């Protein structure tokens, strides 16, 4: 019993240290955003600012580029993830349950695309989008994602393999079309897995920096991450770290809200995957 208790104490200590290492920088980011310039360099450092100042957030809201960056990022993130989730789910359903010629070969080719590094296709994609006039617009960030996400397709296909084929066959005997089978029968069953992949994809699109940096030149058309990077370059010289941290907090909030909304589905997805794996 003593060995068991000692092991439990060690596990708690390790987890506590790990949580401090992971949460500490986030708390420091929020704390810094509520200080003035002098308070950032105060020794010993204050985790809880005294007094709390909202000046950085007030100055941040006065920047036109921040508002346009949030708007552009919301447009790109929601359009890509919502439409792309539907197309990815339908593709996963087709690969898992439909009888298609060369289905497995097509799936292997699809997975092979994951092994191609993005820098390999970055220049050809830019040349293609440049020739059709999509550079400095949001279209290069939106259109490719509307056709689905390979990682989501793979995950959902594996998840659908746990659902008996007899469920689909019974619905077909009752006269249901594949569209009705998918939306009324299959999609509710895979909703926890879809929610887990949705939030991961949303976080990836929201935090994407490289693609917007390549395609977007006009400040009014840039996404939030590029705007924050520009603020970092402009205000770091002035040691205006409260403003930079305030922008980072604003960038973090939507992802945190989405996670809080979908956390139940994510936990269910992990639990079901563990039971069926």
């Amino acid at each position: 019993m003593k060995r068991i208790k000692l092991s439990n104490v060690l596990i708690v200590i390790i987890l506590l240290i790990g949580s401090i290492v992971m949460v500490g920088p986030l708390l420091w980011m929020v704390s810094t955003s509520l200080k003035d310039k002098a308070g950032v360099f105060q020794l010993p450092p204050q985790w809880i600012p005294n007094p709390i100042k909202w000046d950085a957030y007030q100055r941040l809201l006065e920047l036109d580029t921040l508002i346009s960056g949030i708007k552009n990022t919301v447009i790109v993130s929601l359009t890509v993830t919502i439409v792309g989730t539907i197309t990815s789910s339908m593709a996963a359903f087709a690969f898992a349950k439909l009888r298609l010629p060369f289905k497995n070969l097509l799936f292997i080719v699809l997975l092979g695309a994951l092994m191609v590094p993005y820098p390999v296709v970055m220049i050809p994609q830019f040349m293609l989008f440049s020739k059709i006039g999509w550079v400095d617009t949001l279209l290069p960030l939106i259109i490719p994602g509307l056709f689905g996400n390979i990682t989501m397709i793979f995950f959902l296909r594996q998840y659908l393999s746990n659902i008996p084929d007899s469920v689909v066959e019974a619905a077909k005997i009752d006269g249901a079309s594949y569209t009705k089978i998918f939306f009324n029968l299959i999609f509710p069953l895979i909703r926890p897995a879809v929610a887990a992949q949705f939030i991961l994809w949303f976080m990836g699109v929201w935090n994407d920096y490289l693609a917007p940096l390549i395609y977007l030149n006009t400040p009014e058309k840039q996404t939030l991450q590029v705007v924050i990077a520009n603020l970092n370059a402009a205000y770091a010289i002035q040691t205006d770290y409260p403003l930079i941290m305030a922008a980072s907090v604003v960038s973090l909030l939507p992802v945190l809200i989405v996670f809080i909304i979908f956390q139940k589905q994510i936990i269910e997805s992990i639990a079901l995957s563990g039971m069926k794996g």
Side-chain angles (χ1 to χ4, degrees), residues 28 31-32 35-46 49 53 242:
W28 183 252
S31 175
T32 303
K35 299 177 181 178
D36 54 15
K37 293 183 182 180
V40 176
F41 302 99
Q42 184 177 355
L43 292 177
Q46 289 184 340
K53 297 187 176 181

Side-chain angles (χ1 to χ4, degrees), residues 79-81 83-88 141-149 201:
T79 304
V80 169
T81 51
V83 178
T85 295
I86 296 175
T87 54
S88 299
L141 307 179
I142 295 176
I143 299 301
L146 299 182
F147 297 95
N149 181 287
W201 193 7

Side-chain angles (χ1 to χ4, degrees), residues 55-64 66-67 70 243 250:
D55 178 66
Y57 291 94
Q58 294 175 356
R59 290 186 291 120
L60 189 65
L61 294 176
E62 296 173 358
L63 298 176
D64 296 334
L66 178 74
I67 305 301
I70 294 175
L243 182 65
V250 171

Side-chain angles (χ1 to χ4, degrees), residues 75-86 145-146 152 197-203 205-206:
I75 293 173
V76 172
S77 301
L78 292 182
T79 304
V80 169
T81 51
I82 292 176
V83 178
T85 295
I86 296 175
L146 299 182
M152 178 178 283
Q197 290 299 304
F198 176 87
I199 187 174
L200 293 176
W201 193 7
F202 179 85
M203 291 171 61
V205 177
W206 183 273

Side-chain angles (χ1 to χ4, degrees), residues 24 39 44 57 60 100 107 109 126 148 196 208 234 237 240 260 270:
Y57 291 94
L60 189 65
L100 302 173
F107 187 69
V109 173
F126 180 84
D208 187 19
I237 301 176
D240 196 351
I260 293 174
I270 296 172

